Coordinates of all heavy atoms in Angstrom, one line a residue:
M7 N -3.6 6.5 10.4 CA -4.0 5.6 9.4 C -2.8 4.6 9.1 O -1.7 5.0 9.1 CB -4.4 6.3 8.1 CG -3.2 7.1 7.5 SD -3.8 8.0 6.1 CE -2.6 9.2 6.0
A8 N -3.2 3.4 9.0 CA -2.2 2.4 8.7 C -3.0 1.2 8.1 O -4.2 1.2 8.2 CB -1.5 1.9 10.0
R9 N -2.3 0.3 7.6 CA -3.1 -0.9 7.1 C -2.2 -2.1 7.2 O -0.9 -2.0 7.2 CB -3.6 -0.7 5.6 CG -2.5 -0.5 4.6 CD -2.9 0.4 3.5 NE -3.2 1.7 4.0 CZ -2.3 2.6 4.2 NH1 -1.0 2.4 4.0 NH2 -2.7 3.8 4.7
E10 N -2.8 -3.3 7.3 CA -2.1 -4.5 7.4 C -2.1 -5.1 5.9 O -3.1 -5.1 5.3 CB -2.9 -5.5 8.3 CG -2.3 -6.9 8.3 CD -3.2 -7.8 9.1 OE1 -3.3 -7.7 10.3 OE2 -3.9 -8.6 8.4
V11 N -0.9 -5.4 5.5 CA -0.8 -6.0 4.1 C 0.0 -7.3 4.2 O 0.8 -7.5 5.2 CB -0.1 -5.0 3.1 CG1 -0.9 -3.8 2.9 CG2 1.3 -4.7 3.6
R12 N -0.1 -8.1 3.2 CA 0.6 -9.4 3.2 C 1.6 -9.3 2.0 O 1.3 -8.9 0.9 CB -0.3 -10.5 2.9 CG 0.4 -11.9 3.0 CD -0.5 -13.0 2.7 NE -0.5 -13.3 1.3 CZ -1.4 -13.9 0.6 NH1 -2.5 -14.3 1.2 NH2 -1.3 -14.1 -0.7
H13 N 2.9 -9.6 2.4 CA 3.9 -9.6 1.4 C 4.4 -11.0 1.2 O 4.8 -11.7 2.2 CB 5.1 -8.7 1.8 CG 4.8 -7.3 1.7 ND1 4.9 -6.5 0.6 CD2 4.4 -6.4 2.7 CE1 4.5 -5.3 0.9 NE2 4.2 -5.2 2.1
D14 N 4.4 -11.5 0.0 CA 4.8 -12.9 -0.3 C 6.3 -13.0 -0.7 O 6.9 -14.1 -0.7 CB 3.9 -13.6 -1.3 CG 2.5 -13.7 -0.9 OD1 2.3 -13.9 0.3 OD2 1.6 -13.6 -1.7
E15 N 6.8 -11.9 -1.2 CA 8.2 -11.9 -1.7 C 9.2 -12.0 -0.6 O 8.9 -11.5 0.5 CB 8.4 -10.7 -2.6 CG 7.5 -10.5 -3.8 CD 7.6 -11.6 -4.8 OE1 8.7 -12.3 -4.9 OE2 6.7 -11.9 -5.5
N16 N 10.3 -12.6 -0.8 CA 11.3 -12.7 0.2 C 12.7 -12.2 -0.3 O 13.7 -12.7 0.2 CB 11.4 -14.1 0.8 CG 11.7 -15.1 -0.3 OD1 11.9 -14.8 -1.4 ND2 11.6 -16.4 0.1
G17 N 12.7 -11.3 -1.2 CA 13.9 -10.8 -1.7 C 13.7 -9.4 -2.3 O 12.6 -8.9 -2.4
P18 N 14.8 -8.8 -2.8 CA 14.7 -7.4 -3.3 C 14.1 -7.3 -4.7 O 14.1 -8.3 -5.4 CB 16.2 -6.9 -3.3 CG 16.9 -8.2 -3.5 CD 16.2 -9.3 -2.8
A19 N 13.6 -6.2 -5.0 CA 13.1 -5.9 -6.3 C 14.2 -5.2 -7.1 O 15.0 -4.4 -6.5 CB 11.9 -5.0 -6.3
V20 N 14.3 -5.5 -8.4 CA 15.3 -4.9 -9.2 C 14.5 -4.0 -10.2 O 13.5 -4.4 -10.8 CB 16.0 -6.0 -10.1 CG1 17.0 -5.3 -11.0 CG2 16.8 -6.9 -9.1
F21 N 14.9 -2.7 -10.2 CA 14.3 -1.8 -11.0 C 15.1 -1.5 -12.3 O 16.3 -1.7 -12.3 CB 14.1 -0.4 -10.3 CG 13.2 -0.6 -9.1 CD1 13.8 -0.6 -7.8 CD2 11.9 -0.7 -9.2 CE1 13.0 -0.7 -6.7 CE2 11.1 -0.9 -8.1 CZ 11.7 -0.9 -6.8
E22 N 14.3 -1.2 -13.4 CA 15.0 -0.9 -14.7 C 14.5 0.5 -15.1 O 13.6 1.0 -14.6 CB 14.5 -2.0 -15.7 CG 14.9 -3.4 -15.2 CD 14.4 -4.5 -16.2 OE1 13.6 -4.1 -17.1 OE2 14.7 -5.6 -15.9
E23 N 15.2 0.9 -16.1 CA 14.9 2.3 -16.6 C 13.5 2.4 -17.1 O 12.8 3.4 -16.9 CB 15.8 2.6 -17.8 CG 15.8 4.0 -18.2 CD 16.9 4.4 -19.1 OE1 17.9 3.7 -19.2 OE2 16.7 5.5 -19.8
S24 N 12.9 1.3 -17.5 CA 11.5 1.3 -18.0 C 10.5 1.5 -16.8 O 9.3 1.8 -17.1 CB 11.2 0.0 -18.8 OG 11.3 -1.1 -17.9
D25 N 11.0 1.3 -15.6 CA 10.1 1.5 -14.4 C 10.0 3.0 -14.1 O 9.1 3.4 -13.2 CB 10.7 0.8 -13.2 CG 10.6 -0.7 -13.4 OD1 9.6 -1.2 -14.0 OD2 11.6 -1.4 -13.0
L26 N 10.8 3.9 -14.6 CA 10.7 5.3 -14.3 C 9.4 5.9 -14.9 O 9.0 5.5 -16.0 CB 11.9 6.0 -14.9 CG 13.3 5.6 -14.4 CD1 14.4 6.3 -15.2 CD2 13.4 5.8 -12.9
G27 N 8.9 6.8 -14.2 CA 7.7 7.6 -14.6 C 8.1 8.5 -15.8 O 9.3 8.7 -16.1
D28 N 7.1 9.1 -16.4 CA 7.3 10.0 -17.5 C 8.2 11.2 -17.1 O 8.8 11.8 -18.0 CB 5.9 10.6 -18.0 CG 5.1 9.5 -18.6 OD1 5.7 8.4 -19.0 OD2 3.9 9.7 -18.7
D29 N 8.2 11.5 -15.8 CA 9.1 12.6 -15.3 C 10.5 12.1 -14.9 O 11.3 12.9 -14.4 CB 8.4 13.3 -14.1 CG 8.2 12.4 -13.0 OD1 8.5 11.2 -13.1 OD2 7.6 12.9 -11.9
G30 N 10.8 10.9 -15.2 CA 12.1 10.4 -14.9 C 12.3 9.9 -13.4 O 13.4 9.6 -13.0
Q31 N 11.2 10.0 -12.6 CA 11.3 9.7 -11.2 C 10.9 8.2 -11.0 O 10.1 7.7 -11.8 CB 10.4 10.6 -10.4 CG 10.7 12.0 -10.4 CD 12.0 12.4 -9.7 OE1 12.2 12.0 -8.5 NE2 12.9 13.1 -10.3
L32 N 11.4 7.6 -10.0 CA 10.9 6.2 -9.6 C 10.0 6.3 -8.4 O 10.3 6.9 -7.4 CB 12.2 5.4 -9.2 CG 11.9 3.9 -8.9 CD1 11.4 3.2 -10.2 CD2 13.1 3.2 -8.3
Y33 N 8.8 5.8 -8.6 CA 7.8 5.9 -7.5 C 7.6 4.6 -6.9 O 7.0 3.7 -7.4 CB 6.4 6.4 -8.1 CG 6.5 7.9 -8.6 CD1 7.0 8.2 -9.9 CD2 6.3 8.9 -7.7 CE1 7.1 9.5 -10.3 CE2 6.4 10.2 -8.1 CZ 6.8 10.5 -9.4 OH 6.9 11.8 -9.8
V34 N 8.1 4.5 -5.7 CA 8.1 3.2 -4.9 C 6.8 3.2 -4.0 O 6.6 4.2 -3.3 CB 9.4 3.0 -4.1 CG1 9.3 1.8 -3.2 CG2 10.6 3.0 -5.0
C35 N 6.1 2.1 -4.0 CA 4.9 2.0 -3.2 C 5.2 1.9 -1.8 O 6.1 1.1 -1.4 CB 4.1 0.8 -3.7 SG 2.6 0.5 -2.6
R36 N 4.6 2.7 -1.0 CA 4.7 2.6 0.5 C 3.4 2.3 1.2 O 3.4 2.2 2.4 CB 5.3 4.0 1.1 CG 6.7 4.3 0.5 CD 7.3 5.4 1.3 NE 6.5 6.6 1.2 CZ 6.7 7.7 2.0 NH1 7.6 7.7 2.9 NH2 5.9 8.7 1.9
C37 N 2.3 2.2 0.4 CA 1.0 1.9 1.0 C 0.8 0.4 1.1 O -0.1 0.0 1.9 CB -0.1 2.6 0.3 SG -0.6 1.9 -1.3
G38 N 1.4 -0.3 0.3 CA 1.3 -1.8 0.3 C 0.1 -2.3 -0.5 O -0.2 -3.5 -0.5
L39 N -0.6 -1.4 -1.2 CA -1.7 -1.9 -2.0 C -1.5 -1.9 -3.5 O -2.4 -2.4 -4.2 CB -2.9 -0.9 -1.7 CG -3.4 -0.8 -0.3 CD1 -4.4 0.3 -0.1 CD2 -3.9 -2.2 0.1
S40 N -0.3 -1.6 -4.0 CA -0.1 -1.6 -5.4 C -0.1 -3.0 -6.0 O 0.4 -4.0 -5.4 CB 1.3 -1.0 -5.7 OG 1.6 -1.1 -7.1
S41 N -0.7 -3.1 -7.2 CA -0.7 -4.4 -7.9 C 0.5 -4.5 -8.8 O 0.7 -5.5 -9.5 CB -2.0 -4.6 -8.7 OG -2.1 -3.6 -9.6
E42 N 1.4 -3.5 -8.7 CA 2.6 -3.5 -9.5 C 3.8 -3.8 -8.7 O 4.9 -3.3 -8.9 CB 2.7 -2.1 -10.2 CG 1.6 -1.7 -11.1 CD 1.6 -2.6 -12.3 OE1 2.6 -3.0 -12.8 OE2 0.4 -2.9 -12.8
G43 N 3.6 -4.6 -7.6 CA 4.8 -4.9 -6.8 C 5.3 -3.7 -6.0 O 4.5 -3.0 -5.3
A44 N 6.5 -3.4 -6.1 CA 7.1 -2.3 -5.3 C 6.9 -1.0 -6.0 O 7.3 0.0 -5.4 CB 8.6 -2.6 -5.2
L45 N 6.3 -1.0 -7.1 CA 6.1 0.3 -7.8 C 4.7 0.8 -7.6 O 3.7 0.1 -7.6 CB 6.3 0.1 -9.3 CG 7.7 -0.2 -9.8 CD1 7.7 -0.5 -11.2 CD2 8.7 0.9 -9.4
C46 N 4.6 2.1 -7.3 CA 3.3 2.8 -7.1 C 2.4 2.7 -8.4 O 2.9 3.0 -9.5 CB 3.5 4.3 -6.8 SG 2.0 5.2 -6.6
D47 N 1.2 2.3 -8.2 CA 0.3 2.3 -9.4 C -1.0 3.2 -9.1 O -2.0 3.1 -9.8 CB -0.2 0.9 -9.7 CG -1.1 0.3 -8.6 OD1 -1.3 0.9 -7.6 OD2 -1.6 -0.8 -8.9
G48 N -0.9 4.0 -8.1 CA -2.0 4.9 -7.8 C -3.0 4.3 -6.8 O -3.9 5.0 -6.4
S49 N -2.8 3.1 -6.4 CA -3.8 2.5 -5.5 C -3.8 3.2 -4.1 O -4.8 3.0 -3.4 CB -3.4 1.0 -5.3 OG -3.6 0.3 -6.5
H50 N -2.8 3.9 -3.8 CA -2.8 4.6 -2.5 C -4.0 5.6 -2.4 O -4.3 6.0 -1.3 CB -1.5 5.4 -2.3 CG -1.2 6.4 -3.4 ND1 -0.4 6.0 -4.5 CD2 -1.6 7.6 -3.6 CE1 -0.4 7.1 -5.3 NE2 -1.1 8.1 -4.8
N51 N -4.6 6.0 -3.5 CA -5.7 6.9 -3.5 C -6.9 6.4 -2.6 O -7.7 7.1 -2.1 CB -6.2 7.3 -4.9 CG -5.2 8.1 -5.6 OD1 -4.7 9.1 -5.0 ND2 -4.9 7.8 -6.8
A52 N -6.9 5.0 -2.5 CA -8.0 4.4 -1.7 C -7.8 4.6 -0.2 O -8.8 4.5 0.5 CB -8.0 2.9 -2.0
T53 N -6.7 5.1 0.2 CA -6.4 5.3 1.6 C -6.7 6.8 2.0 O -6.5 7.1 3.2 CB -4.9 5.0 1.9 OG1 -4.1 6.0 1.4 CG2 -4.5 3.6 1.4
A54 N -7.1 7.6 1.1 CA -7.2 9.0 1.4 C -8.2 9.3 2.6 O -8.0 10.3 3.3 CB -7.7 9.8 0.1
D55 N -9.2 8.5 2.8 CA -10.1 8.8 3.8 C -10.0 7.9 5.1 O -10.9 7.9 5.9 CB -11.6 8.7 3.3 CG -11.9 7.3 2.8 OD1 -11.0 6.5 2.6 OD2 -13.1 7.0 2.6
E56 N -8.8 7.3 5.2 CA -8.6 6.5 6.4 C -8.5 7.4 7.6 O -7.9 8.5 7.5 CB -7.3 5.7 6.2 CG -7.4 4.5 5.2 CD -6.1 3.8 5.1 OE1 -5.0 4.2 5.7 OE2 -6.1 2.7 4.5
A57 N -9.0 7.0 8.7 CA -8.9 7.8 9.9 C -7.6 7.6 10.6 O -7.0 6.5 10.7 CB -10.1 7.3 10.9
Q58 N -7.1 8.7 11.2 CA -5.9 8.6 12.0 C -6.1 7.7 13.2 O -7.2 7.6 13.8 CB -5.5 10.0 12.6 CG -5.1 11.0 11.5 CD -3.7 10.7 10.9 OE1 -2.9 10.2 11.6 NE2 -3.5 11.0 9.7
G59 N -5.1 6.9 13.5 CA -5.1 6.0 14.6 C -5.8 4.7 14.4 O -6.0 3.9 15.3
T60 N -6.4 4.5 13.2 CA -7.1 3.2 12.9 C -6.2 2.4 11.9 O -5.6 2.9 11.0 CB -8.4 3.6 12.2 OG1 -9.2 4.3 13.0 CG2 -9.2 2.3 11.8
V61 N -6.2 1.1 12.2 CA -5.4 0.2 11.3 C -6.5 -0.6 10.5 O -7.5 -1.1 11.0 CB -4.6 -0.8 12.1 CG1 -3.9 -1.8 11.2 CG2 -3.6 -0.1 12.9
Y62 N -6.3 -0.6 9.2 CA -7.3 -1.2 8.3 C -6.7 -2.5 7.7 O -5.5 -2.7 7.5 CB -7.6 -0.3 7.1 CG -8.4 0.9 7.6 CD1 -7.7 2.1 7.9 CD2 -9.7 1.0 7.7 CE1 -8.3 3.2 8.3 CE2 -10.4 2.1 8.1 CZ -9.7 3.2 8.4 OH -10.4 4.4 8.8
K63 N -7.6 -3.4 7.3 CA -7.3 -4.5 6.4 C -8.1 -4.4 5.2 O -9.4 -4.3 5.3 CB -7.6 -5.8 7.2 CG -7.4 -7.1 6.3 CD -6.0 -7.3 5.9 CE -5.8 -8.5 5.0 NZ -4.5 -8.5 4.4
Y64 N -7.5 -4.4 4.0 CA -8.2 -4.4 2.7 C -8.4 -5.8 2.3 O -7.4 -6.6 2.3 CB -7.4 -3.6 1.7 CG -7.5 -2.1 1.9 CD1 -6.8 -1.5 2.9 CD2 -8.3 -1.3 1.1 CE1 -6.9 -0.1 3.1 CE2 -8.4 0.1 1.3 CZ -7.7 0.6 2.3 OH -7.8 2.0 2.5
E65 N -9.6 -6.2 2.0 CA -9.9 -7.6 1.5 C -9.0 -7.9 0.4 O -8.9 -7.2 -0.7 CB -11.3 -7.7 1.1 CG -11.8 -9.1 1.0 CD -11.9 -9.8 2.4 OE1 -12.2 -9.1 3.4 OE2 -11.6 -11.0 2.4
D66 N -8.2 -9.0 0.5 CA -7.3 -9.5 -0.5 C -6.3 -8.5 -0.9 O -5.8 -8.5 -2.1 CB -8.1 -10.0 -1.8 CG -9.0 -11.2 -1.5 OD1 -8.6 -12.0 -0.6 OD2 -10.1 -11.2 -2.1
D67 N -6.0 -7.5 0.0 CA -5.1 -6.4 -0.3 C -5.5 -5.7 -1.6 O -4.6 -5.1 -2.3 CB -3.6 -6.9 -0.4 CG -3.1 -7.5 0.9 OD1 -3.6 -7.1 2.0 OD2 -2.2 -8.3 0.9
D68 N -6.8 -5.6 -1.8 CA -7.3 -5.0 -3.0 C -7.8 -3.6 -2.7 O -8.8 -3.5 -1.9 CB -8.5 -5.9 -3.6 CG -9.1 -5.2 -4.8 OD1 -8.7 -4.1 -5.2 OD2 -10.1 -5.9 -5.3
P69 N -7.3 -2.5 -3.2 CA -7.7 -1.2 -2.9 C -9.1 -0.9 -3.3 O -9.8 0.0 -2.8 CB -6.7 -0.3 -3.6 CG -6.2 -1.1 -4.7 CD -6.2 -2.5 -4.2
D70 N -9.7 -1.7 -4.2 CA -11.0 -1.5 -4.7 C -12.0 -2.4 -4.0 O -13.2 -2.4 -4.2 CB -11.2 -1.8 -6.2 CG -10.3 -0.8 -7.0 OD1 -10.3 0.4 -6.6 OD2 -9.7 -1.2 -8.0
G71 N -11.5 -3.3 -3.1 CA -12.3 -4.2 -2.4 C -12.8 -3.6 -1.0 O -12.5 -2.5 -0.8
D72 N -13.4 -4.5 -0.3 CA -13.9 -4.0 1.1 C -12.7 -3.8 2.0 O -11.7 -4.5 1.8 CB -14.8 -5.1 1.7 CG -16.1 -5.2 0.9 OD1 -16.5 -4.2 0.3 OD2 -16.7 -6.3 0.9
R73 N -12.9 -2.9 2.9 CA -11.8 -2.8 4.0 C -12.6 -2.7 5.3 O -13.7 -2.3 5.4 CB -11.0 -1.5 3.7 CG -11.7 -0.2 4.1 CD -10.8 1.0 4.0 NE -11.6 2.2 4.3 CZ -11.4 3.4 3.9 NH1 -10.3 3.6 3.1 NH2 -12.1 4.4 4.3
R74 N -11.8 -3.1 6.3 CA -12.4 -3.0 7.7 C -11.3 -2.6 8.6 O -10.2 -2.9 8.4 CB -13.0 -4.4 8.0 CG -11.9 -5.5 8.0 CD -12.5 -6.8 8.4 NE -11.5 -7.9 8.2 CZ -10.5 -8.2 9.0 NH1 -10.2 -7.5 10.0 NH2 -9.6 -9.2 8.7
P75 N -11.8 -1.9 9.7 CA -10.8 -1.6 10.7 C -10.4 -2.9 11.5 O -11.3 -3.8 11.7 CB -11.5 -0.6 11.6 CG -12.9 -0.8 11.3 CD -13.1 -1.4 10.0
I76 N -9.2 -3.0 12.0 CA -8.8 -4.1 12.8 C -8.8 -3.6 14.2 O -8.0 -2.8 14.6 CB -7.4 -4.6 12.4 CG1 -7.4 -5.0 10.9 CG2 -7.0 -5.7 13.2 CD1 -6.0 -5.3 10.4
D77 N -9.7 -4.2 15.0 CA -9.8 -3.9 16.4 C -8.6 -4.4 17.2 O -8.1 -5.5 16.9 CB -11.1 -4.5 17.0 CG -12.3 -3.8 16.4 OD1 -12.2 -2.7 16.0 OD2 -13.3 -4.5 16.3
G78 N -8.2 -3.6 18.2 CA -7.1 -4.0 19.1 C -5.7 -3.9 18.6 O -4.8 -4.3 19.2
V79 N -5.6 -3.3 17.4 CA -4.2 -3.1 16.8 C -3.9 -1.6 16.9 O -4.7 -0.8 16.3 CB -4.1 -3.6 15.4 CG1 -2.8 -3.3 14.8 CG2 -4.5 -5.1 15.3
E80 N -2.9 -1.3 17.5 CA -2.5 0.1 17.6 C -1.3 0.3 16.7 O -0.4 -0.5 16.6 CB -2.2 0.5 19.1 CG -3.4 0.4 20.0 CD -3.1 0.8 21.4 OE1 -2.1 1.5 21.6 OE2 -3.9 0.4 22.3
F81 N -1.2 1.5 16.2 CA -0.1 1.8 15.3 C 0.7 3.0 15.9 O 0.2 4.1 15.9 CB -0.6 2.2 13.9 CG 0.5 2.4 12.9 CD1 1.3 1.4 12.4 CD2 0.8 3.7 12.5 CE1 2.3 1.6 11.5 CE2 1.8 3.9 11.6 CZ 2.5 2.9 11.1
G82 N 1.9 2.8 16.3 CA 2.8 3.8 16.8 C 2.4 5.2 17.0 O 1.3 5.5 17.4
D83 N 3.3 6.1 16.6 CA 3.1 7.6 16.8 C 2.6 8.2 15.5 O 3.4 8.6 14.8 CB 4.3 8.2 17.3 CG 4.8 7.6 18.6 OD1 4.0 7.3 19.5 OD2 6.0 7.5 18.8
E84 N 1.4 8.3 15.3 CA 0.9 9.0 14.1 C 0.6 10.4 14.4 O 0.3 10.8 15.5 CB -0.4 8.4 13.6 CG -0.2 7.0 12.9 CD -1.4 6.6 12.2 OE1 -1.7 7.2 11.2 OE2 -2.0 5.6 12.7
Ligands
FES102 S1 2.1 4.4 -2.7 FE1 1.2 2.4 -2.9 S2 0.2 2.5 -4.8 FE2 1.1 4.4 -4.6

């Protein structure tokens, strides 16, 4: 499972103490679907049923929107 996402930012994110979760941990998004920039907002739950070896595109990078597999795109060693 993998997905194509678009990133518009071209610099680093600065985190503040207020970005920490209730448990004091910093949760950085790695799925690319968060609407909170580099911070996880739980949107990764939309990827739970993605198939291994398939690359997806989420419409407008919206985890609640439509998604489709991208044909002809292979993703490394999953
Ligand atoms: S890892 Fe991307 S929203 Fe949680």
Side-chain angles (χ1 to χ4, degrees):
M7 65 184 157
R9 65 213 60 83
E10 177 187 285
V11 296
R12 188 181 88 202
H13 290 275
D14 295 326
E15 301 297 335
N16 57 6
V20 177
F21 298 105
E22 300 176 355
E23 191 169 339
S24 61
D25 293 322
L26 298 175
D28 293 340
D29 60 0
Q31 300 289 310
L32 183 67
Y33 293 89
V34 176
C35 175
R36 297 190 303 165
C37 76
L39 297 173
S40 176
S41 62
E42 299 294 324
L45 296 174
C46 173
D47 69 353
S49 294
H50 58 266
N51 290 313
T53 70
D55 62 346
E56 290 181 348
Q58 292 289 330
T60 301
V61 178
Y62 294 92
K63 174 64 181 168
Y64 285 75
E65 196 67 37
D66 298 324
D67 296 335
D68 178 1
D70 297 323
D72 292 333
R73 75 174 180 205
R74 61 180 169 78
I76 301 174
D77 294 330
V79 177
E80 296 182 19
F81 184 72
D83 300 323
E84 285 192 73

